[in-house]
Amino acid sequence: MDIDEFWLFLQRSRQVTSDPNERLRWLALHLAQRPPTKIVDFQILLNQVRRRSDTYDMWEAANLIGGGCSTDGFWYFQAWLIGLGRDIFERVVADPDNLAEVPEVQRLAERPMGGWADDEWPGWEALSYVAADAYAEVTGEEEGVYDAMEERGHTDQSDPQPSGLPWRLRDPEAVAQRLPRLSRMFQRDES
């Protein structure tokens, strides 16, 4: 599997259904129909793509949208962003403030967080495990995908390791300068 196949695979799952759980079932089913090496390719590519969104600016964008974002929350946010597809991902990685143009983000900004349904939160944790589940189904080896990755010189990353310029996450002026559109969309009462 190469990077184009990876993105096409995710795109096809989204064309089948927008429901995250149904997408996961589709991905797991179709990954399990591939040779184990292709399943490992998928996990390696997921990690490589995710690293591109692993920046302090992206983390602050996730903070703005979700009203705060833990380490785990940012990890799930990155998977959600990947799940939106290649075009959106590329635009947002180039400038996290481009999240303001994403329809899913715009819908969230229209309502208070208390009115968001559970499946609307910008996170997709389970995408991180779909290749491991498919690999285990095909080979019978629990956690085998991670061993296979190591044999190929790759380690699995399970937490964000952001790059870029860190800044005080709660400094509204710094945030507004870096992410002006998102800052306007997600103004929160700090009292």
Side-chain angles (χ1 to χ4, degrees):
M1 178 178 289
D2 64 19
I3 191 69
D4 293 326
E5 288 177 275
F6 170 84
W7 283 114
L8 184 60
F9 201 60
L10 286 170
Q11 178 185 334
R12 285 186 183 147
S13 75
R14 191 170 177 158
Q15 289 169 339
V16 170
T17 180
S18 62
D19 178 83
N21 293 323
E22 290 295 320
R23 286 183 72 190
L24 287 170
R25 281 190 277 281
W26 188 95
L27 288 165
L29 174 71
H30 288 83
L31 273 174
Q33 295 172 1
R34 294 174 178 249
T37 56
K38 298 295 183 184
I39 300 170
V40 175
D41 290 345
F42 180 89
Q43 186 64 46
I44 290 170
L45 289 165
L46 177 63
N47 291 348
Q48 289 172 345
V49 168
R50 175 181 250 137
R51 275 188 215 105
R52 294 187 52 223
S53 67
D54 201 2
T55 67
Y56 283 104
D57 284 348
M58 192 69 72
W59 199 336
E60 186 57 35
N63 271 323
L64 282 170
I65 294 168
C69 188
S70 67
T71 301
D72 287 346
F74 184 46
W75 190 249
Y76 309 154
F77 176 86
Q78 291 171 331
W80 172 82
L81 180 59
I82 292 166
L84 294 177
R86 189 178 207 169
D87 292 340
I88 290 173
F89 180 84
E90 294 296 340
R91 282 196 322 261
V92 171
V93 165
D95 180 358
D97 203 36
N98 287 335
L99 278 160
E101 301 167 5
V102 174
E104 291 84 349
V105 173
Q106 292 170 345
R107 282 192 292 277
L108 293 174
E110 293 171 355
R111 302 188 327 275
M113 271 192 298
W116 297 1
D118 287 343
D119 63 352
E120 288 182 296
W121 282 88
W124 199 19
E125 176 185 7
L127 179 62
S128 302
Y129 315 116
V130 72
D133 293 345
Y135 193 90
E137 182 180 328
V138 169
T139 66
E141 299 174 35
E142 295 293 322
E143 305 293 317
V145 74
Y146 306 114
D147 294 335
M149 287 173 60
E150 283 186 34
E151 288 172 13
R152 290 171 55 180
H154 296 273
T155 57
D156 189 54
Q157 181 182 346
S158 59
D159 287 311
Q161 297 172 358
S163 63
L165 178 66
W167 72 92
R168 284 186 44 219
L169 295 179
R170 298 293 177 205
D171 180 355
E173 291 177 22
V175 173
Q177 287 176 344
R178 286 188 170 97
L179 305 166
R181 293 179 293 162
L182 283 175
S183 294
R184 285 190 300 274
M185 287 174 73
F186 291 95
Q187 292 178 352
R188 307 246 195 271
D189 183 12
E190 298 294 325
S191 55

